[in-house]
Amino acid sequence: MTQITEYWTQFVNTVKDDSLSNLELSGSFHFGGIEDATSIAALVVDGVKTATGSLLWVFEAENNSVPSVGEYNIITDSENKPVCVIQTISLSVVPFDEVDAQFAFDCGEGDRTLESWREMYWEYIESECQRIEKTPDMKTPLVCEYFKVVYKKPLDKK
């Protein structure tokens, strides 16, 4: 059993609500580059980072569905170890230049200003667009996602 599977099982075993007995794991991933994954995961666990943005075109280029409200994902650190389970609570697709200061603040990184968010995310957009052979502009569509941490206990040691 992988650590991701073990962690998911550990989380599901804590759920007391019968209406949630058929929980499904959408996936696992880390925020940012692998070198930043541990520090960003800590922001998630601490409740500082409650939002994230993704490039809509990447979902389309890779034939992946956009996240959906209610889905569960495991967040991992730089070593691909599970850190917490999040649940998506809202989604919207917003042009890059229309992302507001509140969303930038809720993303929790840098100094949490819209200016620093735009600078950081523009680098991400340029890099992803180069990878999928698209040309970014100020109207590049971002999937703006809010989530909540639903489980953050460490993986049980066996």
Side-chain angles (χ1 to χ4, degrees):
M1 197 182 300
T2 68
Q3 285 189 338
I4 298 301
T5 305
E6 288 175 21
Y7 195 71
W8 180 251
T9 301
Q10 183 178 307
F11 162 61
V12 170
N13 288 338
T14 67
V15 176
K16 306 288 187 236
D17 186 342
D18 285 343
S19 69
L20 299 177
S21 62
N22 292 324
L23 294 178
E24 287 187 32
L25 176 62
S26 293
S28 64
F29 62 90
H30 60 81
F31 286 112
I34 196 73
E35 67 282 355
D36 299 320
T38 297
S39 61
I40 299 173
L43 295 174
V44 173
V45 168
D46 293 342
V48 174
K49 180 174 183 62
T50 58
T52 192
S54 307
L55 192 57
L56 178 62
W57 294 338
V58 170
F59 291 105
E60 295 168 348
E62 296 175 350
N63 274 337
N64 290 326
S65 54
V66 171
S68 58
V69 172
E71 77 176 25
Y72 294 89
N73 285 284
I74 293 175
I75 302 307
T76 58
D77 64 13
S78 296
E79 296 175 355
N80 240 5
K81 293 181 179 165
V83 175
C84 65
V85 177
I86 62 169
Q87 182 181 30
T88 301
I89 56 175
S90 74
L91 283 165
S92 56
V93 177
V94 180
F96 174 77
D97 65 351
E98 293 179 31
V99 170
D100 64 21
Q102 185 64 56
F103 184 78
F105 182 83
D106 294 337
C107 282
E109 297 167 63
D111 66 7
R112 301 180 81 178
T113 64
L114 182 57
E115 182 181 11
S116 73
W117 180 90
R118 283 192 171 144
E119 190 175 302
M120 181 176 47
Y121 266 74
W122 189 252
E123 286 179 25
Y124 156 74
I125 288 169
E126 286 182 320
S127 154
E128 288 293 272
C129 281
Q130 184 176 12
R131 185 174 68 79
I132 62 170
E133 300 178 351
K134 288 276 230 178
T135 303
D137 61 34
M138 290 295 120
K139 295 294 182 191
T140 298
L142 294 180
V143 177
C144 296
E145 177 180 357
Y146 276 91
F147 56 84
K148 65 181 179 180
V149 174
V150 294
Y151 187 75
K152 58 184 180 182
K153 282 187 157 182
L155 180 63
D156 289 339
K157 296 195 182 347
K158 299 199 172 181

